[in-house]
Amino acid sequence: MEDGYQELDEPNRKKRGSLEAWIKLGVILVLLVWGSALLISSLPLEHHSDHKNGLRHIPKRTKNGQLKVSFANLRNDTFSPVTRSLRWLYSDDATEDDQGFFLTEVNGTYVVRSVFDKDYSRVLLEKSDFVYAGQNLTAESIIASPDQEHILLKTDTVKNWRHSTFGSYYVFDTKDHSINFVGNNISLALWSPNSNDVAYVFENNVYVYSSKAGKTIAQVTHDGSSQVFNGIPDWVYEEEVFEGNQALWWSTSGEYLSFLKINETEVHEFPIAYYVQHDDDIYPEIRKIKYPKSGTPNPSAEIQLFHLETQHLSSVFAGNSSTLVTEMTWLGGEQLLVKVTDRTSDTLSILLVDAGKGGVVTTPRVCPSGEGWWEITHRTTYLPKDIKKGRKDEGYIDLMPVDGFNHLAYFSPPETDEPVILTRGEWEVVDGPTAVDLETNNVYFIATKKSSTERHLYRVNILKPEKIEAITDTSKPGTFSVSFSSGSGLALLNYLGPDIPYQKIVTLRTHKKDSTIHGNIVGKTLYYLEDNAALHRVLNLYDVPKKTFGTLELGHDQNGKSVTANYYEILPNDFDPSRRDHYPVFFFAYGGPNSQQVLQIFSVGFNEVVSSQLDAIVVVVDGRGTGFRGKDFRSYVRDNLGDLEAQDQIEAAKIYGNKPYVNQDKISLFGWSYGGYLTLKTLEKDAGKHFKYGMSVAPVTDWRFYDSVYTERYMHTPQENPEGYRKAKVSNATALGQAQRFLLMHGTGDDNVHFQNSLKFLDLLDLAGVENYDFHVFPDSDHSIRYHNANIIVFDKLLNWIGQAYDGQFVKIG
C-alpha cells in the first residue's frame, strides 16, 4: 500500500513508509523533484484565506517579526530545496578507470559530461523536438543505449496505473542523426547490454527490435491479451511486487531475455465508475480492473526464457495463484536468480535457472520467515568471478535476517546456502547493497547503524566481512541517499536533512580527504552540484517550527517488555510552556507494517502549516509494526493489524494529554491510506477518551476489500485467519461515535483503496445512528486525490476542518 498523502511539496510515498521514498528516489536516479531556485524577490505574499470559514484570526508574523509558514508558501515552493538530476552512464572501462560519465539536459539538449573532466562534452541529442514522417514531435523522455550510439525517444505518453504508461518510441542514431520508428502504444522498452537490440512490449506481447536492422526482428510471444501480460506486470504485480512497470530482464551479455508471463484469468474484476471525465457524458464510464482481494484467486506467474540467436522460447518455472515471483536477477550471461514466495510471504525460495543448459532449475535455498514475513526486495547484486581480485567464483549479495535484523550476505558460489555474513548488529541495512566496486571489492550500503531515524552511507569489503567503515559523518544527525557511477568509484551524495539539503560529487577511490568535513568523512569532494544557498537566505525570513526527535515509552507488551517508539514533535511559533490547558495536539500517523515516518529529513509541509496557522503541537509516532527497528518490532502486528498500532497512538495521546500546557479536549489524529485506517481504528479503540477528533482520508475499513499481495503478507488469508480479519475491521460504530467529531474523505476513482471501503463504513454508521461526522467525496480522484483541483481542496478542507474543531465550532450530534 502506498500512502496517498503528500505534504504538497513532497513526492508520493512508497508502501515501506511515507518518508522512505526520499531514500529510494536518491538511490535509483537521484531524481528528487524539489523545484527550481528561489529568489527572495519572488516570495509569495502572505495571506490566510481561511477566515471566511470561521477560523480565528492568526497573526502572519511571530513575536520576533519573522513570517509564519502558510499554504501559500508550500504551493509556491518557497521551502522546496533545489535538486539537480544526474544520470550516470555505462562505460566499458569504468571498473578500472571510472571517469564518471553522466547524461544531463540543458534547455532540451542532452549532453554527455564527465565529473573528472569539466571540459569534456558530447552532444547526444541537440534538441528534444524532431520531425518524423512530416510530423512535429517532442521527446518526453530518452533512454541512451549503453554505448550511447543510439537513443530511444518516447513521445505521446499516456498514464496507465501508478507506475505504468504507454507511449510511441523512436530510435535516434547519434552519429548520422537518422530516426527509425519502433511503434505506438508501447508499454515498455529496454536496451540490451549489447547496445543493439531493444526488447519492447506492445499489446502485452514481447518483441525485439534491432537498431542495426532498423526493424523488429522477433515477436517473442503471441498470447498477450487483456488477461495475459508478457514482460509487464498486471495491476497487483505493478502495485505491490515490482513497484514499477517492468517484468522483463536482459542477461548481462544480451544473449538471453527473461520475462514473466502473468495470467490473471482467474482474478476477479472490480468496476470503477468515472463520472466527470467528459462534460457531455450522461452515463458514467465504467473501467474494470482485475483486482485480487484477500483470499481470492491471485494471478499466476510463469518465468519465460528467450534465446536471441536461436529465437527459442521456453518456460522454466510455472507458478500458480499460491506463489509470487518477486525478483529476477541475472548472475552473468547464463545464470538467472529468481525469488519466489508463497502468497502469504511465509516462505522464500531461491531458484537458479541455468539458461546454458536449457533452463534447468535448482533450489539452493528455502527460507521460512518464522514469526514474521518476507518483505519484497529488488537489490540482489551480482559479483562476477575474478581470481586476481580474490573472488574465486561467481556470486551475489543479498539482504537477509541476521539475529533478527536485515543485513548483507555474500553467496559465492551462487549454489551455496552458507553465505559470508558481511554486516551484523542491532541495526538494519536499508533495502540491500547500493553499489559494489569490483575494483576494490567494496560494498556500499545505506543503513541505520547510528540511529533508526537516520540514514548514513557505509562500506564493507567482501574479503573483510563485518569491518564496516562509515562514509558519511555520523557525529551529526543525518539522512543521506546516494547514486554511484558505472564503476562505483564516484558517487552523487545527497544530504536530505535534517538541515538544508545539498548535493556533492565525491570520489571514493582515493586516500585523500576533504579539509573541511561536510557530509562525507571518506573520499574527496570534487564539487557541489547544489548547495541551496538561495533557500538559506529565504529561511532567514521565516520562523519555521522545528522538529524535535526522541523516543516515547508506551508501556509494556504482553510479555512485559517495554515498548519504546520513535517520535517527533513540532512546537508552534512562540510556544509558551507556562500556559495552562492551552495547546491543541495534532497527531499525524501512517503506521503501516514496515513503514517509517520519523526520519530526520528536511521538509516544510502540511504539518508545519498546521503548527504555524493553528498554534498546535504536531506529533508523529512510529509505533509497533513500523520498520527499521528489527524483525521483532515489526512482527508485533502479524495477523492482527490495527490493534497494537492504535494502542500506541492512544498511549502517546495519554502522555501529551498529561502535559500541563495541552488542552485535553483538543487532541486529534489525521491519517491517509493506512493512516486513514489507523485513524478510524484508534478512534474506535479510544472511544472518545483521549482523541476527540479524527480525520481519515482514503482509508481501508475492512481488509477483505484490499489487495491480496499486501494484505496477506501481514494477515494471511481470511480463510486462515478469520478472527484476525474480524478484529482488524473498523466495526464498532458506537465507540467511534464517542469522539466529538470526525471527518472522512475519499476519491471515487481510487483504484488502490476502493471507494467501497468508505461506502461500507458509512452504511455501518447509518445502521448505528452515528451522525457526528463530515464526509467529502472527490469525483474520479485516485488514491492521491489530485483530479480537477482536488489536492488543493483536500488540504484546505483538512486545515479548515481541524481549525474549526479546535475553535469549538462543532456540536456533537447523536
Side-chain angles (χ1 to χ4, degrees):
M1 173 185 288
E2 180 173 325
D3 186 3
Y5 165 72
Q6 301 172 36
E7 293 204 281
L8 301 181
D9 56 337
E10 295 180 11
N12 279 332
R13 296 177 167 111
K14 298 294 181 182
K15 65 175 71 62
R16 291 186 178 87
S18 60
L19 292 172
E20 197 62 29
W22 288 80
I23 302 301
K24 289 188 174 181
L25 292 175
V27 170
I28 298 173
L29 284 178
V30 202
L31 294 175
L32 298 170
V33 185
W34 272 336
S36 50
L38 298 167
L39 299 175
I40 295 178
S41 61
S42 67
L43 290 175
L45 295 174
E46 286 292 323
H47 67 278
H48 193 302
S49 61
D50 302 316
H51 303 155
K52 62 185 180 182
N53 293 313
L55 296 187
R56 65 190 184 279
H57 175 74
I58 301 296
K60 297 177 184 178
R61 295 181 181 270
T62 59
K63 291 179 180 178
N64 64 10
Q66 288 182 297
L67 292 166
K68 288 188 174 185
V69 176
S70 73
F71 267 150
N73 300 135
L74 271 60
R75 288 165 177 160
N76 288 283
D77 294 328
T78 302
F79 307 114
S80 296
V82 176
T83 295
R84 309 295 180 187
S85 63
L86 180 152
R87 282 190 274 178
W88 298 106
L89 293 176
Y90 173 81
S91 176
D92 286 330
D93 57 356
T95 299
E96 297 179 0
D97 182 22
D98 193 349
Q99 291 297 306
F101 292 114
F102 64 93
L103 182 66
T104 186
E105 183 264 334
V106 180
N107 298 324
T109 298
Y110 292 86
V111 183
V112 177
R113 297 190 184 277
S114 165
V115 298
F116 271 131
D117 184 357
K118 291 187 177 181
D119 294 328
Y120 180 87
S121 178
R122 179 189 169 205
V123 175
L124 285 190
L125 186 66
E126 187 67 41
K127 55 183 180 179
S128 55
D129 296 329
F130 65 98
V131 177
Y132 182 82
Q135 282 188 299
N136 293 319
L137 302 168
T138 299
E140 295 156 352
S141 64
I142 74 167
I143 309 171
S145 63
D147 63 7
Q148 293 128 52
E149 292 188 3
H150 294 87
I151 300 174
L152 273 171
L153 309 176
K154 184 180 181 182
T155 69
D156 303 320
T157 304
V158 177
K159 188 180 185 299
N160 186 30
W161 301 121
R162 192 193 301 271
H163 307 285
S164 55
T165 60
F166 298 96
S168 300
Y169 283 85
Y170 303 79
V171 172
F172 174 77
D173 190 309
T174 61
K175 291 183 177 179
D176 64 19
H177 293 187
S178 61
I179 298 176
N180 286 319
F181 178 61
V182 179
N184 294 319
N185 296 318
I186 290 175
S187 46
L188 177 71
L190 292 177
W191 281 108
S192 164
N194 67 21
S195 294
N196 174 48
D197 301 310
V198 177
Y200 69 92
V201 178
F202 169 67
E203 293 184 344
N204 290 345
N205 279 313
V206 177
Y207 297 78
V208 177
Y209 173 93
S210 169
S211 60
K212 285 184 178 180
K215 62 180 182 180
T216 296
I217 59 172
Q219 181 173 349
V220 179
T221 65
H222 295 80
D223 59 351
S225 68
S226 61
Q227 301 187 77
V228 176
F229 294 72
N230 291 293
I232 58 171
D234 72 331
W235 187 93
V236 77
Y237 262 83
E238 175 180 323
E239 178 71 23
E240 302 292 5
V241 180
F242 296 132
E243 298 177 274
N245 69 330
Q246 179 182 341
L248 179 152
W249 298 268
W250 285 102
S251 65
T252 56
S253 63
E255 185 180 357
Y256 294 95
L257 189 63
S258 64
F259 61 92
L260 280 188
K261 180 190 297 293
I262 298 173
N263 189 324
E264 58 176 23
T265 302
E266 300 301 318
V267 178
H268 297 312
E269 285 185 336
F270 189 87
I272 299 177
Y274 293 85
Y275 300 93
V276 294
Q277 298 295 299
H278 308 286
D279 289 341
D280 56 352
D281 286 347
I282 59 173
Y283 291 96
E285 176 187 346
I286 305 297
R287 302 177 193 172
K288 295 181 179 180
I289 60 172
K290 291 277 192 169
Y291 185 106
K293 291 181 181 281
S294 304
T296 68
N298 273 349
S300 61
E302 184 177 338
I303 300 171
Q304 302 279 296
L305 200 61
F306 179 70
H307 188 226
L308 192 63
E309 183 177 352
T310 64
Q311 299 207 353
H312 177 67
L313 177 66
S314 59
S315 173
V316 298
F317 173 82
N320 54 45
S321 64
S322 296
T323 57
L324 298 170
V325 178
T326 62
E327 186 178 12
M328 283 203 277
T329 303
W330 280 95
L331 308 179
E334 294 189 337
Q335 194 169 47
L336 177 67
L337 180 146
V338 182
K339 290 184 178 181
V340 178
T341 70
D342 62 313
R343 66 180 290 158
T344 55
S345 302
D346 286 322
T347 302
L348 171 69
S349 298
I350 306 298
L351 313 182
L352 291 176
V353 180
D354 192 328
K357 294 182 180 179
V360 174
V361 179
T362 57
T363 308
R365 286 197 287 147
V366 177
C367 314
S369 65
E371 297 299 318
W373 60 81
W374 285 101
E375 282 285 342
I376 293 172
T377 60
H378 302 116
R379 292 256 192 92
T380 303
T381 303
Y382 165 60
L383 273 69
K385 175 181 178 180
D386 190 332
I387 295 176
K388 291 182 179 180
K389 299 296 182 184
R391 302 192 298 272
K392 297 179 181 180
D393 211 324
E394 307 284 293
Y396 66 92
I397 296 174
D398 200 1
L399 190 71
M400 64 177 289
V402 178
D403 302 325
F405 293 84
N406 287 337
H407 283 286
L408 298 179
Y410 177 40
F411 292 82
S412 182
E415 294 78 15
T416 187
D417 61 354
E418 297 182 0
V420 175
I421 303 300
L422 297 178
T423 65
R424 187 191 303 271
E426 293 186 358
W427 49 274
E428 298 208 308
V429 173
V430 178
D431 291 337
T434 300
V436 178
D437 188 337
L438 298 177
E439 182 68 13
T440 64
N441 285 325
N442 285 325
V443 182
Y444 292 90
F445 58 95
I446 298 287
T448 65
K449 190 172 187 295
K450 182 194 172 187
S451 166
S452 57
T453 67
E454 298 181 39
R455 299 288 188 270
H456 285 276
L457 178 63
Y458 301 87
R459 70 184 176 194
V460 64
N461 196 285
I462 63 170
L463 304 181
K464 300 175 183 179
E466 300 187 46
K467 294 183 178 179
I468 297 165
E469 183 179 18
I471 304 301
T472 51
D473 184 5
T474 59
S475 69
K476 300 175 182 177
T479 298
F480 292 86
S481 70
V482 66
S483 73
F484 281 84
S485 60
S486 176
S488 300
L490 297 147
L492 173 57
L493 188 65
N494 304 285
Y495 171 75
L496 305 178
D499 295 326
I500 294 175
Y502 59 82
Q503 296 175 285
K504 57 177 4 184
I505 303 291
V506 179
T507 176
L508 295 167
R509 289 182 187 171
T510 180
H511 296 293
K512 296 180 180 180
K513 295 184 179 181
D514 296 339
S515 56
T516 301
I517 300 300
H518 192 209
N520 57 298
I521 57 175
V522 172
K524 182 71 175 175
T525 300
L526 298 180
Y527 58 89
Y528 283 80
L529 200 63
E530 179 57 58
D531 62 6
N532 277 297
L535 182 55
H536 280 272
R537 295 192 295 271
V538 167
L539 286 175
N540 289 331
L541 302 175
Y542 288 84
D543 184 6
V544 177
K546 303 296 189 297
K547 290 189 181 79
T548 302
F549 291 80
T551 57
L552 291 176
E553 296 298 324
L554 302 179
H556 297 82
D557 65 14
Q558 61 182 4
N559 298 316
K561 184 179 179 181
S562 178
V563 176
T564 303
N566 293 327
Y567 86 107
Y568 71 75
E569 71 171 7
I570 302 173
L571 297 178
N573 309 113
D574 302 323
F575 175 73
D576 182 358
S578 68
R579 305 187 75 170
R580 292 294 178 262
D581 302 322
H582 173 70
Y583 290 101
V585 183
F586 181 91
F587 279 84
F588 169 51
Y590 180 72
N594 206 41
S595 68
Q596 185 177 30
Q597 286 177 291
V598 184
L599 186 64
Q600 299 198 45
I601 65 169
F602 175 88
S603 66
V604 182
F606 182 60
N607 287 336
E608 283 75 14
V609 172
V610 168
S611 185
S612 289
Q613 296 297 317
L614 301 182
D615 200 28
I617 300 169
V618 175
V619 181
V620 177
V621 179
D622 277 343
R624 280 172 286 184
T626 54
F628 309 102
R629 294 189 56 195
K631 180 179 179 180
D632 288 347
F633 194 79
R634 60 180 167 265
S635 297
Y636 271 118
V637 301
R638 189 82 199 269
D639 291 332
N640 191 33
L641 291 183
D643 182 19
L644 298 178
E645 307 101 296
Q647 183 60 44
D648 289 347
Q649 298 297 319
I650 292 169
E651 291 297 325
K654 287 181 185 178
I655 292 172
Y656 272 85
N658 287 328
K659 294 181 184 292
Y661 47 79
V662 166
N663 187 327
Q664 295 182 355
D665 293 327
K666 297 181 180 180
I667 298 179
S668 65
L669 178 60
F670 158 57
W672 193 311
S673 193
Y674 195 100
Y677 163 71
L678 181 52
T679 295
L680 296 179
K681 285 299 290 183
T682 302
L683 293 181
E684 178 187 61
K685 192 178 189 73
D686 186 56
K689 189 173 182 180
H690 301 94
F691 284 103
K692 305 305 180 183
Y693 302 98
M695 297 179 290
S696 174
V697 182
V700 172
T701 61
D702 186 335
W703 287 104
R704 295 175 305 157
F705 301 156
Y706 197 60
D707 80 64
S708 57
V709 175
Y710 180 91
T711 307
E712 294 172 13
R713 184 185 307 149
Y714 311 118
M715 289 288 289
H716 288 94
T717 66
Q719 294 86 345
E720 296 170 297
N721 183 24
E723 180 61 15
Y725 276 80
R726 185 194 66 78
K727 288 174 58 180
K729 178 182 177 181
V730 181
S731 59
N732 192 337
T734 302
L736 272 158
Q738 298 306 304
Q740 181 69 18
R741 198 167 187 86
F742 57 95
L743 171 67
L744 176 67
M745 295 193 280
H746 212 137
T748 66
D750 194 334
D751 60 289
N752 187 344
V753 180
H754 298 151
F755 189 49
Q756 172 191 28
N757 285 272
S758 285
L759 291 175
K760 285 282 191 176
F761 176 58
L762 289 171
D763 184 57
L764 183 73
L765 297 178
D766 290 345
L767 289 171
V770 173
E771 300 181 48
N772 60 321
Y773 66 91
D774 297 293
F775 183 44
H776 191 103
V777 176
F778 295 92
D780 293 7
S781 269
D782 63 13
H783 198 50
S784 64
I785 305 187
R786 306 192 70 86
Y787 190 68
H788 280 184
N789 203 42
N791 205 244
I792 299 292
I793 303 301
V794 70
F795 280 101
D796 282 347
K797 175 77 71 174
L798 288 166
L799 185 67
N800 294 335
W801 189 92
I802 197 58
Q804 292 171 33
Y806 291 161
D807 279 352
Q809 296 185 25
F810 293 145
V811 176
K812 187 174 179 181
I813 301 174

